[in-house]
Amino acid sequence: MIYHDNKVSDVNIAYIGGGSRGWAWTFMTDLALEPAMSGTIRLYDIDQEAARVNEAIGNHLTSRPEAVGKWNYTTSATLKEALTGADFVVISILPGTFDEMASDVHMPERLGIWQSVGDTAGPGGMIRALRTIPMFVEIAEAVRAFSPEAWVINYTNPMTLCVKTLYHVFPEIKAFGCCHEVFGTQKVLKGILEDTMGFEQVDRRDIHVNVLGINHFTWFDEASYKGIDLFPVYKAYIEEHFEEGYKERDTNWANACFACAHRVKFDLFNRFSLIAAAGDRHLAEFMPGDEYLKDSETVAQWKFGLTTVDWRKEDLKNRLEKSGRLLRGEEEVELKPTGEEGILLMKALCGLGRVISNVNVPNTSLQISNLPKEAVVETNAVFDRDSIRPVAAGQIPEPVKALILPHTENHERILKAALTCDHELVAEAFLHDPQIIGKKCREDQVRELAEDMIRATAAYLPEGWKK
């Protein structure tokens, strides 16, 4: 990297999963809108043709006069080629296909287990992790060999186990996980402020929060806006609007697959006096299965939706068609800020400012003092030149800690299971999962489900899993 006049050039970014037909364009957009950074993006993907398409799309985007950030996009044939000399490594991959995700999500329904996401917690999240962890072992080994000083930014789910795997394989790795769920909850607080107190154009970054928890089961125990304690504001809003929930400015839970009315959030606040800081679809999956995910009627009452893998497949078809239009010049990538913070964090790590944001890293500094050191936790951190310093978030209240610990314990089981191809550890993790426990399933049914789900994803698992 070359520093000059508060800018940095010749930055090398290795993008693993660079054939993405979605998030890649988000990343390209933010890079194109940032005038203080420029360099090379090396796109690596097991689908090399998809990476080449994004190479052409990215280079066309950077050639547009309104693109103030100038980048050269190239396709790398190997991890070694992509990683050698990289300053940053971005990981955004899909472990398997949506066919595997369909079995993750729908196979547990035979035991009455309903999943609203299926990529983080519950049986779906655990089986997805079995596919993902071997890929992250390979990535961590390659980073250690070819770019040990690079900063590694993960966007792949299950976030916690992805980050945990990177550090397990390469303890000195400089890796962290980024997630925008906290931003979404800041936007809810922003909207409530504007609705109830007459504020206009509140910047969600001015809503200061203390973040603590694990990814997708994250909480605020402090939230303020320019001297205003937002907890009483939030509490009063819930008292008045609990039944209908909160309506997003730009979407509606009833006609958008990933939207919600935030009623689960509201209910968790009433129960635990903390602001749950993720979407309701994620939060519900960390709770016992006889609560928010009892059945489809219960889900509808709480005003969120179950995962629709068919919708994801149709969306992929649409994105593939859009990729073709972008490649042929029939459509342009829209250049407007995406709301993601990845580029801001990169700038800070390059020495171009200081940023405080939520991040997923091991709890090594006991930033959450009453969770295990080996857990990967989500708290705020200070991003500065070549450093991330997790903020001491304090203790998480015991009732919420009791909800988190079954998941951190299962993270240990699933990581070990994936590394050793241990069927029994997967069964144990299933038997200790709150979703499954809440359904009061028989042990033999749970064990059979675990085995069937492993078989359904066997094409993406190492040979050691085959009995």
Side-chain angles (χ1 to χ4, degrees), residues 207-218:
I207 294 175
H208 295 167
V209 295
N210 187 49
V211 180
L212 66 175
I214 58 177
N215 184 241
H216 292 157
F217 202 45
T218 320

Side-chain angles (χ1 to χ4, degrees), residues 283-335:
L283 295 169
E285 290 194 327
F286 287 85
M287 299 297 290
D290 57 352
E291 294 190 11
Y292 307 111
L293 288 166
K294 182 178 179 181
D295 49 41
S296 57
E297 292 78 15
T298 301
V299 170
Q301 289 168 8
W302 286 105
K303 297 186 178 180
F304 66 97
L306 298 171
T307 285
T308 51
V309 179
D310 287 343
W311 182 91
R312 290 176 185 267
K313 290 180 178 181
E314 183 65 24
D315 181 60
L316 176 59
K317 177 184 172 185
N318 293 336
R319 286 187 281 115
L320 286 168
E321 292 171 356
K322 179 177 180 178
S323 179
R325 294 194 299 272
L326 292 172
L327 181 63
R328 295 187 297 271
E330 298 167 1
E331 185 176 337
E332 295 281 8
V333 174
E334 187 177 10
L335 275 179

Side-chain angles (χ1 to χ4, degrees), residues 48 64 114 124 135 137 143 149 180 209 257 300 309 322 348 359 375 389 391 398 415 431 443:
Q48 198 168 122
R64 288 164 55 181
W114 303 94
M135 301 177 188
V137 168
V143 169
E149 296 302 316
H180 57 215
V209 295
C257 290
V309 179
K322 179 177 180 178
V359 66
R389 297 180 179 89
V391 171
E398 288 299 318
L415 176 61
L431 289 165
E443 180 175 340

